[in-house]
Amino acid sequence: MIAEDGLLLREGLTGVLARFGFEVVAAVGDAEALIAAVAEHAPDLVLTDIRMPPGFRDEGLRAAVTLRRARPRLPVVVLSQYVQDEYAAALLDSGSGAGVGYLLKDRVVDVQDFVAALRTVASGGTVVDPEVVRRLLRRPKDPLAALSSREREVLALVAEGHSNSAIAARLFVTEAAVGKHVGNILAKLDLPPAEDTNRRVLAVLAFLRA
């Protein structure tokens, strides 16, 4: 199944794949149609672009992530001009990384290599353009990754402007427990005491950026 908003490229891909023995059961132009077509046809492989109607941002990639969450064994290849960091990581993490690919259009220089990559993904393998790997490795780490779920909950309430006593009342814990959570949050975010900074504000800024 092909999802590509450009008519000429969609038709071109359909023709190329047919020449190499693929049966294209559907070729659609937007993410909503892609999800509907997968439900209807249950394809063995999905090939999708990222930027499609209506917003031309990341609709195709988000649809791919949605499909993989519902069907972890569905092979999906993203073919795009762009590396969309957030959802690219989510796609590659889905289904334990099996049966997934991310290729860049302007780096596909050999049709046979392209077809071989599709067959690899269709059989459960993983194919990722090296440039995609480099981009993902350069992603800044999530500063909140080290926080526990309770610490994230406390930090969210801090970000809403609540005092420790108000947070304690909301979470049905003692104010001392909240103080301990806040101390752990500041330590895990690497915010040591300093005279010229408000660590609580810096923690909130880290939360909002994340």
Side-chain angles (χ1 to χ4, degrees):
M1 179 171 300
I2 297 172
E4 162 63 52
D5 67 286
L7 175 62
L8 292 180
L9 181 54
R10 187 167 69 240
E11 292 298 317
L13 285 170
T14 300
V16 167
L17 295 182
R19 285 199 346 250
F20 282 87
F22 288 85
E23 177 189 358
V24 179
V25 295
V28 300
D30 61 73
E32 186 175 337
L34 167 61
I35 291 175
V38 167
E40 179 181 355
H41 296 283
D44 298 315
L45 175 68
V46 170
L47 176 63
T48 182
D49 193 6
I50 287 180
R51 298 187 177 182
M52 291 192 292
F56 293 96
R57 292 187 295 272
D58 54 14
E59 289 84 353
L61 186 50
R62 285 191 285 114
V65 171
T66 298
L67 290 171
R68 289 276 292 183
R69 284 173 179 164
R71 301 173 173 83
R73 295 180 181 274
L74 173 66
V76 173
V77 175
V78 168
L79 177 64
S80 180
Q81 292 176 301
Y82 313 96
V83 180
Q84 210 289 350
D85 296 358
E86 178 182 357
Y87 287 104
L91 176 67
L92 297 175
D93 284 342
S94 64
S96 300
V100 66
Y102 199 128
L103 303 176
L104 299 178
K105 289 178 180 177
D106 59 358
R107 290 168 58 87
V108 176
V109 296
D110 186 284
V111 173
Q112 290 189 344
D113 287 345
F114 172 63
V115 169
L118 296 186
R119 294 194 187 282
T120 295
V121 174
S123 63
T126 303
V127 179
V128 182
D129 188 283
E131 179 59 26
V132 176
V133 175
R134 283 193 288 270
R135 282 286 302 273
L136 293 179
L137 288 176
R138 290 200 300 266
R139 292 179 71 212
K141 293 183 178 179
D142 178 5
L144 307 185
L147 302 187
S148 68
S149 58
R150 174 61 89 180
E151 288 164 354
R152 283 174 176 260
E153 189 175 12
V154 168
L155 182 53
L157 292 171
V158 170
E160 292 176 9
H162 298 291
S163 65
N164 283 10
S165 59
I167 294 172
R170 281 174 171 260
L171 299 182
F172 302 101
V173 297
T174 66
E175 188 171 345
V178 173
K180 184 177 180 180
H181 285 312
V182 171
N184 290 339
I185 291 167
L186 297 176
K188 290 180 179 180
L189 294 181
D190 194 22
L191 296 172
E195 293 183 359
D196 58 346
T197 59
N198 186 320
R199 295 192 296 161
R200 201 174 178 102
V201 171
L202 293 178
V204 168
L205 290 174
F207 172 78
L208 296 175
R209 283 194 295 269

